[in-house]
Amino acid sequence: MGEFQLLAFGVALILLMRFRPEGMIANRRNQLEFHEKDETPATLAKAGA
């Protein structure tokens, strides 16, 4: 049971690093930096960047 729990934790960390590189709670500046290619120009202008 302990080995499965450690494996599940490792998989969760890898998925988190893959899909949320800015972390669970990112500030707006880092979030925009990591996702700048996904943002539209209107959203960037609204954020003040």
Side-chain angles (χ1 to χ4, degrees):
M1 181 67 179
E3 291 179 17
F4 177 73
Q5 192 175 17
L6 188 59
L7 176 67
F9 181 70
V11 170
L13 284 178
I14 290 170
L15 290 174
L16 181 66
M17 288 185 287
R18 170 63 180 97
F19 294 108
R20 298 270 314 183
E22 71 273 7
M24 290 295 291
I25 304 171
N27 64 17
R28 187 71 178 146
R29 183 175 184 180
N30 286 343
Q31 194 174 21
L32 286 174
E33 182 179 326
F34 280 109
H35 297 285
E36 63 186 8
K37 64 181 174 286
D38 299 336
E39 297 289 329
T40 61
T43 305
L44 289 174
K46 185 175 152 185

